[in-house]
Amino acid sequence: MLTLLAERVARHLEDSPRTPKYLCLRDALIELIVEGELAEGTRLPTEQELAAALPLSLGTVQKALRDLVESGELYRRRRLGTFVADGNHRREIATPAFGFLRPDGTRVRMVFIRLIKREMLQRRGAWIEVLGECTAGHVHLVRQDRIDGAFDCYTEIYLRADVASELLDLPAEALEHESVLPLLQAQGHEVSTAENRISLGRLPRAAVRAIVPDLAEAPPPGIRLETRYLDAEAGVLAWQIMYIPPSDYRLTLITEPR
């Protein structure tokens, strides 16, 4: 395992020389976990063993492992070591509509999703104007998305119940493992277009409470990223609104030439 990890770390260091070294190690470990090379419950080498086997300092190794413990990728057992945790809350960002770039320009690969709420909406609201009338109601998902372990976004997703009522019965872990796109595809719907609309404004109170609860003063303006996932025949299948706080990361919108 150490040999494979050393190869991955070396590749990340070569491909992204301006990225902090602890992020290179963290990304390499995440890749091996996602690929199944580091299975759930695997005990990692000690921090000292990792530092000796990798071109990294002990402090760099400790920071990378601490980040992964805080995000839930790893867990520690006193006097026993550091282990790979259940990864159902983890996914690689896989949307054709947008992505995030680190300050050095490298692509963010991972987002850690926590489901805050899901409900069936029978009342009227702005979602009806976007998704249309639905006698069965509308499904509402609320998530906290941790981007690259660096900052949190507050995400709301609205779907027609006649398209996505099954999402209410799925285990919470399933909704924390997938983005809205594969969830729609799993229900047999093909998304042909994703439209982005972006604006700058004050974060709503619910978002502030979820992602910056310790903020004492009024929050600075953030980004409101609205994404509409459309089917060529059925129209808008899902309406997603992501509230993004200020950070030194960049948001990149993915477009296709007409």
Side-chain angles (χ1 to χ4, degrees):
M1 187 271 283
L2 278 174
T3 300
L4 183 57
L5 178 59
E7 293 174 355
R8 294 296 179 91
V9 170
R11 188 187 69 191
H12 279 281
L13 291 172
E14 181 179 355
D15 293 344
S16 308
R18 296 172 57 192
T19 296
K21 292 182 178 180
Y22 82 93
L23 288 179
C24 292
L25 172 56
R26 197 193 66 186
D27 285 356
L29 283 168
I30 287 175
E31 285 180 1
L32 295 181
I33 293 171
V34 171
E35 294 168 9
E37 297 289 346
L38 291 176
E40 177 183 343
T42 299
R43 181 183 180 277
L44 296 186
T46 67
E47 294 172 345
Q48 290 77 13
E49 290 171 337
L50 288 171
L54 304 172
L56 304 172
S57 69
L58 178 59
T60 296
V61 170
Q62 290 172 333
K63 183 170 177 55
L65 297 187
R66 184 167 59 248
D67 264 23
L68 290 173
V69 169
E70 290 176 355
S71 66
E73 286 299 296
L74 305 175
Y75 67 92
R76 286 180 170 139
R77 297 184 63 183
R78 184 175 174 82
R79 297 182 180 178
L80 293 179
T82 303
F83 299 83
V84 177
D86 177 8
N88 282 339
H89 65 291
R90 178 215 320 116
R91 72 170 179 85
E92 182 168 357
I93 295 175
T95 170
F98 62 89
F100 290 91
L101 298 177
R102 291 171 175 155
D104 66 356
T106 56
R107 181 174 68 92
V108 170
R109 297 194 58 190
M110 303 305 298
V111 58
F112 303 89
I113 299 171
R114 182 171 71 87
L115 183 66
I116 298 176
K117 180 172 67 174
R118 59 176 161 176
E119 59 183 342
M120 178 72 79
L121 300 173
Q122 297 293 349
R123 65 184 186 275
R124 303 190 66 81
W127 50 88
I128 294 179
E129 298 178 9
V130 178
L131 298 168
E133 297 281 356
C134 180
T135 56
H138 294 81
V139 176
H140 181 214
L141 307 177
V142 183
R143 304 187 323 206
Q144 178 184 5
D145 297 348
R146 186 160 183 78
I147 308 300
D148 202 33
F151 64 95
D152 295 323
C153 297
Y154 182 83
T155 302
E156 294 191 81
I157 303 170
Y158 298 89
L159 310 100
R160 292 172 56 94
D162 56 5
V163 169
S165 61
E166 296 88 348
L167 301 186
L168 295 173
D169 299 322
L170 290 177
E173 292 80 5
L175 299 178
E176 294 179 334
H177 184 57
E178 295 290 2
S179 69
V180 65
L181 190 58
L183 290 173
L184 287 171
Q185 292 171 337
Q187 303 301 325
H189 302 285
E190 289 297 328
V191 175
S192 59
T193 307
E195 294 181 354
N196 287 316
R197 304 182 183 187
I198 191 169
S199 59
L200 185 66
R202 192 172 299 279
L203 299 175
R205 290 183 179 180
V208 173
R209 287 195 299 267
I211 62 178
V212 282
D214 299 327
L215 190 65
E217 58 189 28
I223 293 174
R224 182 183 188 272
L225 173 63
E226 174 188 341
T227 304
R228 303 184 183 197
Y229 294 96
L230 298 93
D231 177 272
E233 298 181 356
V236 181
L237 294 176
W239 182 34
Q240 176 173 302
I241 307 169
M242 175 178 279
Y243 296 98
I244 307 170
S247 76
D248 54 0
Y249 280 59
R250 284 179 284 167
L251 175 67
T252 175
L253 304 182
I254 302 171
T255 60
E256 294 181 356
R258 294 185 181 274

